[in-house]
Amino acid sequence: GCPLSRHRLGYIEWKKGNHDRAVRHFLISSKMGHKRSLEHIKRAFMAGIATKEQYAEALKGYRDAVEEMKSHDRDEASALRK
């Protein structure tokens, strides 16, 4: 699926008051490398809504996704734009 779409579903569920369902959507999109979803999970954890395990899983999944997306060519292109 699409990380942004999953994030938006989480946001909609959050607004409806379905926090558990929202956290699950944010968790999935975090694992796909969506930074804002990771930030939402962190806030939910700090508010006592998400568990420590969910936050840890989101953080690890986010890091893995970001690491997977790294490439030498991408780093070179990014350096040229600066």
Side-chain angles (χ1 to χ4, degrees):
C2 172
L4 180 57
S5 296
R6 199 50 99 143
H7 174 80
R8 287 179 177 163
L9 286 171
Y11 184 78
I12 290 166
E13 292 296 341
W14 188 272
K15 289 294 185 184
K16 289 176 165 179
N18 298 327
H19 298 144
D20 289 340
R21 185 173 283 176
V23 166
R24 287 196 303 267
H25 285 299
F26 292 144
L27 182 58
I28 291 167
S29 57
S30 292
K31 290 178 180 181
M32 290 191 268
H34 197 272
K35 189 172 185 172
R36 281 190 297 167
S37 289
L38 179 61
E39 292 165 1
H40 282 301
I41 293 250
K42 180 181 178 181
R43 281 190 226 130
F45 168 63
M46 293 172 74
I49 295 167
T51 66
K52 183 178 182 179
E53 290 78 18
Q54 286 172 316
Y55 179 53
E57 185 179 348
L59 191 57
K60 182 186 180 317
Y62 175 79
R63 286 181 182 159
D64 290 348
V66 169
E67 188 62 35
E68 235 177 72
M69 287 186 266
K70 285 186 179 178
S71 74
H72 177 69
D73 292 338
R74 185 174 288 177
D75 292 341
E76 277 185 8
S78 180
L80 290 174
R81 284 187 284 169
K82 292 182 181 180

